[in-house]
Amino acid sequence: MFEADVQNVTQQAATGAVPAGNRVREVISEAHQRYAEHTDGQVADYIPILAHADPNWYGISLVDVSGKSFSVGDSQIEFSIQSISKAFIFALVCQELGHEVMHQRIGVNNTGLPFNSVMAMELNDGSPMNSMVNAGALATSALIPGRTTAEQWENIRIGLSRFAGRSLELDGEVYQSEMKTNFRNKAIARLLESYARIDIDPLEVVDIYTRQCSLRVTSTDLAVMGATLADGGVNPLTGEQVVGSEVARDTLALLASCGLYERSGEWLFEIGLPAKSGVSGGMVAIAPGKGALGLYSPPLDSAGNSVRSQRACAYLSRALGLNLFASSAYQSAKG
Ligand code: DON
């Protein structure tokens, strides 16, 4: 899908920094224009309120590690962060509990199955598998520090806000809409309880998880949050060390293998960047040491990933030299 789409784009080798400002502006505008008329994909409706999104909304932002920000299209529209929150909750919990606990207690391997799979857990002795699928994300949110779930929720909101460099707020309508229809997440949380994988009330876990998914962000916020992971855990806008550099590294490794669910292998093969998607149509793709892309376009493919955002990332990873695996020969570089 992507290769054919970007055949005429020269693959730039991954270099130390994103290209100069003018070039970035030009390339991002080109990425926006190329796919603005594409109509593939369906807007999610299993959370009823998400179906109200306009399929034409389309924003792209890039924030680099020096804090420079570039945006085109609907970069100021706020939407619910959904599963993209899982990446940053993993980072916050990993910061508290450490690499080894996340590895042993949650897991770091891809399920090869959809994000809301029950079977993945059943096939793996009740393991939540990884923090990017719903089972693992619920188990990870349960580990957020706090004496009560109200305190845990406040720590989630503050933690994600530190990544964004501004105070993120709950979209109450999205939260209510999902709480009325999230029977499957409630079942997954009960299953986690039955396997003794969570220590707090399963319905309380679903509540804080649904709140975290309902935080409102823009594509620019996603780019800042991603750029914090690209910058050794330091938010390039506020200068705050949000998580340690080793936690940022661990988060990106997990995103590379699990960020796009059962499509993660194809994604890495085509785009070559750690990334995370969400069902409202958001996406973040991170170039370690360089910066991050934040994208928004509601129509999704069958795995729940934004179609235009994926296409734009395929174009941008080539044109901006972001693909982690793209090198050019040492001899030819010497000339
Ligand atoms: O739990 C859910 O189903 C949603 N709150 C989030 C799912 C999601 O974003 C999947 N991503 N593509």
Side-chain angles (χ1 to χ4, degrees):
M1 167 183 177
F2 301 112
E3 189 59 31
D5 211 37
V6 287
Q7 248 169 10
N8 56 344
V9 186
T10 309
Q11 171 73 70
Q12 303 295 328
T15 58
V18 290
N22 288 346
R23 179 73 190 131
V24 172
R25 210 166 280 118
E26 213 174 271
V27 172
I28 289 185
S29 301
E30 171 65 22
H32 192 271
Q33 217 176 335
R34 278 175 85 101
Y35 307 113
E37 305 300 321
H38 279 229
T39 54
D40 294 353
Q42 297 292 324
V43 176
D45 60 5
Y46 78 98
I47 300 172
I49 198 162
L50 296 186
H52 298 174
D54 182 338
N56 296 314
W57 284 335
Y58 182 28
I60 305 179
S61 304
L62 183 149
V63 171
D64 74 12
V65 290
S66 77
K68 284 198 213 79
S69 172
F70 309 88
S71 284
V72 56
D74 299 313
S75 61
Q76 291 317 314
I77 291 185
E78 290 194 327
F79 53 92
S80 53
I81 187 168
Q82 298 298 342
S83 284
I84 302 169
S85 62
K86 294 167 179 169
F88 302 95
I89 296 297
F90 169 86
L92 293 172
V93 174
C94 188
Q95 181 65 41
E96 289 296 322
L97 302 182
H99 178 99
E100 213 36 50
V101 173
M102 298 315 282
H103 187 181
Q104 298 308 330
R105 190 159 172 165
I106 310 287
V108 293
N109 280 318
N110 196 307
T111 65
L113 291 165
F115 67 88
N116 56 1
S117 174
V118 172
M119 202 158 64
M121 241 196 301
E122 291 293 274
L123 292 172
N124 290 283
D125 294 327
S127 167
M129 294 305 288
N130 70 70
S131 300
M132 299 303 130
V133 293
N134 288 12
L138 286 159
T140 306
S141 295
L143 297 173
I144 283 279
R147 279 166 305 170
T148 61
T149 43
E151 256 183 47
Q152 287 184 296
W153 157 236
E154 192 51 12
N155 285 334
I156 286 174
R157 199 188 64 76
I158 291 170
L160 263 53
S161 298
R162 290 168 69 207
F163 275 108
R166 74 175 183 103
S167 178
L168 300 179
E169 301 299 333
L170 180 80
D171 187 321
E173 281 186 330
V174 172
Y175 165 70
Q176 294 294 346
S177 182
E178 181 160 357
M179 284 305 283
K180 284 192 194 120
T181 49
N182 59 358
F183 309 112
R184 198 175 175 89
N185 284 343
K186 287 172 184 150
I188 291 173
R190 284 275 179 223
L191 203 54
L192 286 167
E193 181 188 33
S194 79
Y195 282 113
R197 298 290 181 153
I198 49 174
D199 297 333
I200 60 175
D201 181 81
L203 295 184
E204 296 277 313
V205 177
V206 173
D207 187 72
I208 56 172
Y209 164 82
T210 308
R211 287 173 187 273
Q212 102 191 20
C213 289
S214 305
L215 284 168
R216 296 166 71 90
V217 290
T218 64
S219 65
T220 307
D221 290 326
L222 292 180
V224 177
M225 296 173 86
T228 303
L229 293 176
D231 190 30
V234 174
N235 182 316
L237 296 192
T238 63
E240 186 188 0
Q241 181 94 48
V242 182
V243 289
S245 61
E246 288 172 358
V247 168
R249 175 206 63 197
D250 291 349
T251 309
L252 295 182
L254 193 60
L255 292 186
S257 58
C258 307
L260 276 276
Y261 310 118
E262 69 273 34
R263 301 272 164 84
S264 298
E266 281 168 86
W267 169 269
L268 212 52
F269 189 62
E270 302 282 359
I271 283 109
L273 288 174
K276 187 75 206 80
S277 61
V279 280
S280 52
M283 179 170 269
V284 63
I286 298 127
K290 297 179 187 172
L293 295 162
L295 306 100
Y296 175 54
S297 169
L300 310 177
D301 68 14
S302 58
N305 303 316
S306 166
V307 178
R308 272 195 210 106
S309 300
Q310 292 182 76
R311 289 194 154 136
C313 281
Y315 174 76
L316 289 166
S317 82
R318 281 167 175 74
L320 293 173
L322 303 179
N323 188 320
L324 290 179
F325 308 106
S327 55
S328 53
Y330 176 65
Q331 290 300 339
S332 66
K334 274 200 312 186

